[in-house]
Amino acid sequence: MINKIKQQTQVNQFTFVFSHYSVLLAVIFLAAMIILCDGITFAQPNPPFVRGTEPVNTTQVTNTPVQVTPPNTAATVTNPAITAELEKAVTAFNNSKFSEALDILKALYASHPEIAPPRVIMAQMFAQAKLSDAVRANLELGTEETPSDPEAYLLLGEIALRQRNLTAAELLLKRAAETVQAYSASETRKKNLTSSIMRVFSDLYESRQRWAQMEKCVDDQIRFDGQNATFLRRKGIAVFRQDRDEEAKKLFLQADQLDQTNKESGQKGIPADAIMAQLYLTRGDKDKARTFLEAALRAYPDSKEVLALSIQMRVSDDKLEEATPLAQRLLAEDPTSSSAKRLRATVGLYLQDYVLAEKLFQELLLESPTDAPAQNGLALALCEQNSPDKLKRALEYAVDNVRKNQSNGEFWGTLGWIQYKANLTEEAEKSLKQSIATGSINAATAYYYARLAVKSNKIDEAKRFLNLALQGNNQFAKRREAAQLLKELSK
């Protein structure tokens, strides 16, 4: 396997663009976002706060058989005859008789045009089975077979938005909006589809950073669906982005009131101060962000959302000792939470609590064997424990991770670091060059390269990489060691 890595890592020349954030720091951010946005399927470039109900995630693929159930959106009436036929279609689908399932749905749709079209229902079942290629294929066929129904356009638009194909998403959503106006088979379904189209348009405008259009879209949805806390928070984001900070704060507070957020009843959404903190971070105003976040933490000391944000802030500020009790508290709130576990493991890794980090990353990997960031964290925790057996395991995990993720520069950097610690200097240099050849180098990899340069007595090169690693106050697991090394080399 090492020989294979040698072949993969041979490069003659390389250039790089520095990336400020490592996968491990991104893990902290993403874990915080998972806690904040449990159930949200879209990944937005801006802070994704509380959304409405999202569709099934259609972008995951698995080879594991999944027993699907009748999609909740398949019928908008409580008709026993429809339910019976849907169950027949599901049974056929679960027995891999896809053509039979489709025939049942086509016959059902012919007599009950008020339900979703056959291809849409098939797509929903394939989504439950995590077969993303079949999802898209059925939706594409749906636009051909039932072009006057808006749902296939809507779902394709959501997939395009999730994949950051924003122009395609906008065109598909416009087509869905045009089609739903003429739709008349079911008033209930028409209302639900219209609401969903508005919601996804709002997400699109957020992605496009068209804040005035986003605000108008949310206002339209409030008039259509009625006011609720989610809509108020969505509007608050758009308003803040138009530099109307006080108005945004009032909207967030109003959302808190609608949610009846207090210590006795608990909150359903993110508190106003915590949202304001996130938004000020998007402006780069960390001072205001800290002020609002500390206020939120005082008011909601047990809030998972606020704790996650507070951990993220302290890690970013290199206040790891302060992050530790918060991460412990968050994990104590929900010991089975993978997000809380990931945050605690990462903080432990940063503070060199490698035994704890190993334990938690191992648990995450057992829960989800395809969790590449957890595998990366586990490899790093293992290689630091001065154990030949654990170093060997670390190398195996790192090699496996780059084999499965060959374009991931962070994982190549991890492999290079572990090879360095295993005194495989030549292999380490090649892996680190491969990390750079992916197009970016993060702070951790820059530090690893500096250590390799020191070993080769290339002090000027080492100092250059250390300065690169430390620029911008970006956080990574070896930041303190990098600062100390640079200080020693600069004497």
Side-chain angles (χ1 to χ4, degrees):
M1 181 62 72
I2 292 296
N3 289 334
K4 183 178 180 181
I5 295 299
K6 287 181 182 180
Q7 295 170 4
Q8 293 170 337
T9 57
Q10 183 66 47
V11 292
N12 296 321
Q13 296 178 338
F14 57 89
T15 58
F16 61 83
V17 176
F18 186 70
S19 171
H20 290 286
Y21 294 94
S22 69
V23 164
L24 285 171
L25 186 55
V27 162
I28 286 189
F29 178 77
L30 291 173
M33 290 300 98
I34 291 168
I35 291 170
L36 296 175
C37 310
D38 187 26
I40 297 168
T41 58
F42 277 100
Q44 300 291 350
N46 307 304
F49 301 105
V50 180
R51 302 266 197 261
T53 302
E54 301 287 358
V56 177
N57 187 337
T58 60
T59 60
Q60 298 177 353
V61 181
T62 179
N63 294 322
T64 304
V66 176
Q67 293 294 301
V68 306
T69 58
N72 292 330
T73 58
T76 55
V77 292
T78 56
N79 185 324
I82 293 176
T83 301
E85 291 303 300
L86 284 173
E87 289 176 350
K88 287 181 183 178
V90 168
T91 298
F93 185 96
N94 284 330
N95 289 324
S96 298
K97 297 178 180 179
F98 303 136
S99 296
E100 180 181 329
L102 181 61
D103 289 341
I104 294 170
L105 293 173
K106 284 182 175 180
L108 180 61
Y109 185 69
S111 56
H112 293 281
E114 71 272 18
I115 70 171
R119 291 292 182 180
V120 169
I121 298 177
M122 287 294 291
Q124 291 171 333
M125 290 194 291
F126 277 117
Q128 288 187 51
K130 301 188 188 320
L131 296 172
S132 60
D133 290 343
V135 170
R136 187 173 190 116
N138 275 274
L139 292 175
E140 294 285 0
L141 288 168
T143 65
E144 288 289 327
E145 295 175 5
T146 52
S148 61
D149 190 275
E151 191 161 1
Y153 302 111
L154 168 61
L155 294 176
L156 284 169
E158 289 195 278
I159 292 171
L161 178 56
R162 188 179 301 119
Q163 295 175 345
R164 303 293 299 158
N165 298 320
L166 302 184
T167 300
E170 187 162 6
L171 292 172
L172 286 161
L173 291 174
K174 285 181 178 178
R175 178 59 178 156
E178 293 167 359
T179 308
V180 80
Q181 291 180 4
Y183 178 78
S184 60
S186 166
E187 283 302 314
T188 300
R189 186 163 177 262
K190 180 174 183 176
K191 183 178 186 301
N192 292 339
L193 288 169
T194 300
S195 178
S196 294
I197 291 168
M198 289 180 178
R199 171 181 53 79
V200 183
F201 259 122
S202 172
D203 291 334
L204 173 68
Y205 294 144
E206 183 178 10
S207 295
R208 292 281 202 187
Q209 299 187 29
R210 298 179 188 169
W211 308 117
Q213 284 182 280
M214 178 182 173
E215 180 184 0
K216 181 181 181 302
C217 189
V218 177
D219 280 337
D220 290 343
Q221 188 153 28
I222 289 173
R223 284 190 290 272
F224 187 82
D225 285 321
Q227 184 169 273
N228 62 39
T230 297
F231 295 156
L232 288 173
R233 291 188 177 100
R234 297 287 291 142
K235 182 176 179 179
I237 295 169
V239 166
F240 183 94
R241 291 294 198 154
Q242 296 174 77
D243 298 323
R244 289 145 55 194
D245 300 15
E246 290 303 317
E247 183 180 347
K249 176 70 178 293
K250 290 177 182 177
L251 287 165
F252 297 141
L253 288 172
Q254 189 178 352
D256 286 356
Q257 291 173 353
L258 286 180
D259 269 347
Q260 297 181 339
T261 52
N262 54 60
K263 295 179 181 179
E264 288 74 29
S265 63
Q267 74 229 35
K268 297 179 182 177
I270 306 172
D273 285 333
I275 298 179
M276 292 295 287
Q278 282 189 299
L279 288 171
Y280 276 116
L281 280 175
T282 66
R283 283 189 191 166
D285 192 339
K286 293 188 74 173
D287 290 336
K288 283 190 177 179
R290 290 188 194 96
T291 299
F292 277 102
L293 190 53
E294 290 307 309
L297 187 59
R298 287 192 298 271
Y300 303 98
D302 297 322
S303 164
K304 292 189 295 183
E305 296 86 356
V306 173
L307 284 170
L309 285 171
S310 299
I311 295 164
Q312 178 190 342
M313 176 66 79
R314 282 161 173 76
V315 170
S316 176
D317 288 342
D318 196 25
K319 296 180 178 179
L320 301 174
E321 289 78 8
E322 293 182 18
T324 299
L326 298 179
Q328 290 171 335
R329 191 192 311 172
L330 180 61
L331 187 56
E333 287 288 315
D334 187 359
T336 63
S337 167
S338 60
S339 303
K341 197 176 294 185
R342 191 181 305 273
L343 280 168
R344 182 68 188 94
T346 306
V347 173
L349 185 66
Y350 278 33
L351 280 173
Q352 301 183 10
D353 190 348
Y354 298 124
V355 174
L356 175 65
E358 176 193 348
K359 174 181 178 294
L360 294 175
F361 280 128
Q362 184 73 70
E363 290 178 9
L364 287 168
L365 197 58
L366 288 172
E367 292 167 6
S368 178
T370 60
D371 189 338
Q375 184 166 326
N376 187 67
L378 177 58
L380 288 171
L382 287 167
C383 81
E384 300 288 350
Q385 295 185 51
N386 298 317
S387 164
D389 289 341
K390 290 191 176 184
L391 184 59
K392 180 181 177 182
R393 285 179 58 206
L395 187 60
E396 290 170 352
Y397 279 123
V399 168
D400 180 62
N401 229 9
V402 298
R403 179 183 60 79
K404 294 183 294 189
N405 304 276
Q406 295 192 27
S407 63
N408 190 301
E410 178 88 8
F411 299 161
W412 277 106
T414 295
L415 175 60
W417 176 241
I418 295 170
Q419 289 168 330
Y420 168 86
K421 292 185 74 67
N423 292 318
L424 301 171
T425 305
E426 183 178 347
E427 290 87 345
E429 183 175 6
K430 291 178 180 179
S431 293
L432 292 173
K433 285 183 178 181
Q434 183 64 31
S435 174
I436 295 172
T438 63
S440 65
I441 176 173
N442 60 33
T445 301
Y447 169 75
Y448 303 152
Y449 229 117
R451 288 287 298 271
L452 186 64
V454 170
K455 189 172 185 177
S456 302
N457 201 33
K458 299 176 181 178
I459 304 305
D460 288 341
E461 182 176 328
K463 289 164 68 174
R464 181 167 64 88
F465 274 104
L466 289 170
N467 280 312
L468 191 62
L470 295 168
Q471 73 179 23
N473 295 319
N474 47 304
Q475 182 59 270
F476 60 102
K478 294 289 186 178
R479 180 177 178 81
R480 295 179 181 181
E481 289 91 332
Q484 180 61 33
L485 181 58
L486 180 59
K487 182 178 178 180
E488 293 172 0
L489 295 178
S490 300
K491 289 179 179 179

